[in-house]
Amino acid sequence: MSTTVTAHPQLTRVQAVTARLAGRFSFTRLHLQVAVGALWLLDGALQAQPFMFTRGFATQIIAPTGQGQPGVVAGPVHLGSTIIAAHPVVWNVLFAAAQILLGVGLILARGRAARVALAASIGWALGVWYLGEGLSGLASGHASLVSGAPGSALLYAIFAAAAWPRRGTSGQVPASWLLPVWALLWIVAAGYQLLPGQDTGTALAGLLSSGGGDPHWLASLDAPVASWMSGNGALAVSGLAALELLVGLGALSRRTRTWSLAIGLVVILAIWVLGQDLGQLYSGRATDPNSAPLIALMAIVLIGARSSTPRTPT
């Protein structure tokens, strides 16, 4: 007796649409390299803003990142800010030029030159993360996805490492370890969100309420959300931590991986708008777009990498 298996028409239709999208959308190491280059160009342009050529760049942007940090972080940060404050124009010209050169190099370089540019990007990014961002507050225990953890510069270094080209092949997807990094990022974020000092609705609402200067439409979005969080602290904190944990754990299973990436992408974009205020790119004092767009880029990279990977028909 023979058995005939008939494919479900709705499932077949979904598979056809997925295959069509997979054929049109892919993300390779070269794409990621160029994306990192574009980000460095943006940072270089932001570094060329008039405020950055004043002592305020050192005293109001760099120095505060060392506050409340262990001495191994606070000491170098304060020393660096003091050195920069002494000659802000000279240092800022060097910073802006270095980031623009990195951007151009990553966009144009191929082969061995690409490896040199990527290595330089990793070194510069880690230096900025330590001395300019104070490890994004991770060493102090006061860090949150909402406020910008784990730090834009660290994500630049991770992307550059994931884009490192291999010899003899082309069109490679980014490094496979980028998916565990995505999972770890969200799981650790959930743990940090529950630490003392940021495990209350008031603390979470404070991250959404900036000191002023936001466009009216953006402030009108932040205010009601912050007000709700203040009045529903336990629900807001536990809900955010649970959502972060589910996104991280979901990436570890093949069945829920796509959902993890999709939900994480939506959540992090909401955080960029409500928590990070679009990186305050409108303020004249932003040095980068903040971490949320980079985490969103990681989701897009991973979705594109999955589309680029040949799959065995089922």
Side-chain angles (χ1 to χ4, degrees):
M1 181 178 66
S2 62
T3 303
T4 303
V5 179
T6 304
H8 194 286
Q10 185 177 1
L11 182 60
T12 304
R13 199 175 301 117
V14 171
Q15 289 175 334
V17 172
T18 303
R20 192 174 306 146
L21 290 174
R24 293 180 180 178
F25 175 62
S26 63
F27 212 106
T28 66
R29 296 191 183 211
L30 179 58
H31 293 144
L32 183 55
Q33 174 187 320
V34 172
V36 176
L39 288 168
W40 279 125
L41 283 179
L42 172 60
D43 287 6
L46 293 173
Q47 200 67 48
Q49 297 175 106
F51 175 79
M52 305 301 177
F53 292 92
T54 68
R55 295 183 73 254
F57 169 60
T59 60
Q60 299 176 36
I61 294 181
I62 296 181
T65 65
Q67 296 177 358
Q69 300 264 37
V72 68
V73 177
V77 168
H78 289 314
L79 176 61
S81 64
T82 301
I83 293 174
I84 293 170
H87 304 281
V89 175
V90 174
W91 284 110
N92 197 62
V93 168
L94 293 175
F95 295 155
Q99 292 175 155
I100 290 173
L101 287 174
L102 281 174
V104 172
L106 288 169
I107 290 173
L108 299 180
R110 300 292 182 269
R112 183 177 299 177
R115 294 184 181 91
V116 173
L118 288 167
S121 178
I122 293 172
W124 183 267
L126 292 177
V128 171
W129 184 53
Y130 186 24
L131 299 175
E133 296 182 354
L135 305 183
S136 195
L138 294 177
S140 68
H142 295 285
S144 169
L145 282 185
V146 180
S147 62
S152 302
L154 176 62
L155 293 171
Y156 283 17
I158 290 173
F159 286 151
W164 195 272
R166 294 179 178 176
R167 296 180 180 178
T169 57
S170 60
Q172 314 148 338
V173 297
S176 59
W177 51 258
L178 198 58
L179 183 62
V181 168
W182 166 270
L184 180 64
L185 185 153
W186 287 93
I187 293 171
V188 171
Y192 266 89
Q193 194 60 61
L194 297 176
L195 290 177
Q198 51 194 35
D199 59 345
T200 65
T202 302
L204 189 55
L207 297 178
L208 271 65
S209 303
S210 63
D214 294 343
H216 175 72
W217 67 269
L218 186 55
S220 65
L221 289 176
D222 290 346
V225 177
S227 177
W228 180 86
M229 287 180 172
S230 296
N232 301 271
L235 179 59
V237 174
S238 60
L240 177 59
L243 185 58
E244 292 170 340
L245 182 62
L246 288 174
V247 170
L249 294 177
L252 301 178
S253 171
R254 288 181 177 272
R255 297 191 176 204
T256 56
R257 193 165 294 163
T258 300
W259 284 106
S260 166
L261 296 172
I263 294 173
L265 177 59
V266 172
V267 170
I268 204 64
L269 289 178
I271 286 176
W272 190 49
V273 175
L274 297 174
Q276 299 179 5
D277 293 330
L278 303 177
Q280 296 189 337
L281 295 173
Y282 49 80
S283 67
R285 300 187 178 191
T287 57
D288 56 62
N290 215 324
S291 64
L294 306 179
I295 298 174
L297 174 61
M298 188 184 298
I300 295 171
V301 168
L302 290 170
I303 292 171
R306 284 170 59 78
S307 298
S308 303
T309 303
R311 295 191 177 97
T312 304
T314 303

